[in-house]
Amino acid sequence: MKKNLKRFAKTLFLAFILWIILCLSKAHPNFIQEYYTQGFYTYYSTLSYELTKWFTFSLGDILYICMALYAIQFCYKLVQSKHTLFNKIITLLVASLYSITYIFALFIITWGLNNYNTPLETKLNYSKVYSNEDLLEVSYKILKQTQRQHKLLSTHKDTKVKNPYSVEQILHQVPRGMQKAALELKVFTYRKTTIKESLFSPLITYMGFSGYINPFTNEAQINNQIPKLTMIVTASHETAHQLGFSRESEANFIGYIASKNQELEINRYAANIFALRYCLRELNKKEPVMFQAILQEIPKGIQDNLRENALFWHSHRNFTDSFFNIFYDNFLKATNQKQGLQSYNKFVDFLIQFYKDNPL
């Protein structure tokens, strides 16, 4: 019992220290930007790259497996011990709180403070306000561009475009687009990053994740089960996370800019399909009549590409969806993304402001 009390006291102390750090970080984003994102984190992520680039598999995924095995071993030993049931339950609860707190502390140190750096809209001097007319105009222009690309890539307007490249080839194409995005946006410097196929791809498909970054090893993992047409944007999104853009809307925007700057037409088409999907979703919410009007102009082949991602995730829906949605939504809110899962949709704000400055 004394051991549990000491461990619980350590947990409370660390949680208090973390609370102070996060409160100060939230109040001083420019400090975090300069001394963490552009300081400590840059050196840490560069070191992580140098250590992990030699491995074709994800060291971060192996770390997760080891952590899971350790947890199973701990529970097994606890069950086999001679302690009373009450003591076993208390030990399990205290050990869980202790482990979660220390893992969260490590997460904050190795990557998590990027959630509190200077927002991308501040760096780009973008306004958060746009009109429905702006949304319609950008949606229509992206559609016209997408139609021209579709004609180049498909034999018929009713045939959807398929990405002929392998997962490995797609991931190999990511750095060039990210380099061009860095030059175009002028708010970050591209540095080498590692992008690997997740060892848990079948599992995370049913959890609803297309990719993730391991904050401890700074490796980006891509779900190799997702439709290949969406993969270039997803991989660029995760690379943006590696470069310190932790907010989902920011990673979406940089992933789009990187993909639209790719040399291959198939990747630029994928970027427009991604952007068009978000624009149409917002248009349906705000101007349903105009949404129906623009929908009539979309050829079947492009519609099939727009639906492909949703159909994929719908086919893998299961009883755990609600749990993981609630968990991830609250995790985002706890890490300074107040809109939770809705923060992904803020990508449209960036998109419209970008095309105000850089007309299509």
Side-chain angles (χ1 to χ4, degrees), residues 199-263:
L199 299 178
F200 309 126
S201 288
L203 176 62
I204 64 174
T205 296
Y206 288 97
M207 293 170 65
F209 295 108
S210 56
Y212 55 93
I213 180 174
N214 187 300
F216 311 117
T217 61
N218 208 247
E219 297 166 288
Q221 278 76 215
I222 302 301
N223 181 345
N224 59 24
Q225 308 286 305
I226 63 175
K228 285 197 288 183
L229 188 65
T230 69
M231 198 167 286
I232 189 69
V233 183
T234 299
S236 301
H237 171 112
E238 298 304 333
T239 301
H241 280 324
Q242 286 181 292
L243 295 172
F245 294 94
S246 60
R247 299 173 183 90
E248 298 301 339
S249 57
E250 297 178 359
N252 265 354
F253 177 63
I254 291 173
Y256 165 75
I257 296 296
S259 301
K260 85 172 185 66
N261 276 300
Q262 286 285 342
E263 293 179 350

Side-chain angles (χ1 to χ4, degrees), residues 143-166:
L143 173 60
K144 291 302 176 185
Q145 195 175 78
T146 307
Q147 287 175 320
R148 288 193 292 272
Q149 293 169 325
H150 186 269
K151 287 180 181 179
L152 294 173
L153 295 166
S154 181
T155 55
H156 193 273
K157 66 177 183 178
D158 291 339
T159 305
K160 73 176 183 180
V161 173
K162 294 183 179 180
N163 193 326
Y165 295 94
S166 67

Side-chain angles (χ1 to χ4, degrees), residues 250-304:
E250 297 178 359
N252 265 354
F253 177 63
I254 291 173
Y256 165 75
I257 296 296
S259 301
K260 85 172 185 66
N261 276 300
Q262 286 285 342
E263 293 179 350
L264 294 176
E265 194 72 53
I266 183 70
N267 290 331
R268 296 197 293 270
Y269 176 77
N272 277 335
I273 287 292
F274 176 81
L276 190 58
R277 195 168 71 233
Y278 272 86
C279 286
L280 290 175
R281 187 183 300 161
E282 287 299 301
L283 199 60
N284 189 33
K285 292 178 185 176
K286 298 177 178 180
E287 290 284 351
V289 175
M290 296 307 301
F291 167 76
Q292 290 298 329
I294 198 173
L295 199 63
Q296 299 303 315
E297 297 189 37
I298 304 178
K300 183 180 182 299
I302 295 178
Q303 287 196 28
D304 287 344

Side-chain angles (χ1 to χ4, degrees), residues 72-168:
I72 293 170
Q73 182 190 39
F74 177 84
C75 291
Y76 176 78
K77 287 184 176 180
L78 185 62
V79 170
Q80 295 296 315
S81 68
K82 296 180 180 179
H83 296 297
T84 64
L85 178 60
F86 176 78
N87 281 340
K88 289 178 181 179
I89 292 173
I90 293 298
T91 299
L92 180 61
L93 289 174
V94 171
S96 298
L97 285 172
Y98 181 83
S99 300
I100 290 170
T101 305
Y102 273 81
I103 290 171
F104 186 71
L106 187 59
F107 161 78
I108 289 297
I109 293 169
T110 57
W111 186 77
L113 280 182
N114 285 314
N115 284 292
Y116 301 87
N117 62 16
T118 306
L120 181 58
E121 61 259 31
T122 302
K123 298 175 189 175
L124 294 170
N125 196 28
Y126 280 178
S127 168
K128 296 180 181 179
V129 179
Y130 65 85
S131 67
N132 290 353
E133 288 74 21
D134 292 331
L135 174 60
L136 179 61
E137 181 183 1
V138 169
S139 300
Y140 190 77
K141 287 183 176 180
I142 290 177
L143 173 60
K144 291 302 176 185
Q145 195 175 78
T146 307
Q147 287 175 320
R148 288 193 292 272
Q149 293 169 325
H150 186 269
K151 287 180 181 179
L152 294 173
L153 295 166
S154 181
T155 55
H156 193 273
K157 66 177 183 178
D158 291 339
T159 305
K160 73 176 183 180
V161 173
K162 294 183 179 180
N163 193 326
Y165 295 94
S166 67
V167 174
E168 184 179 358

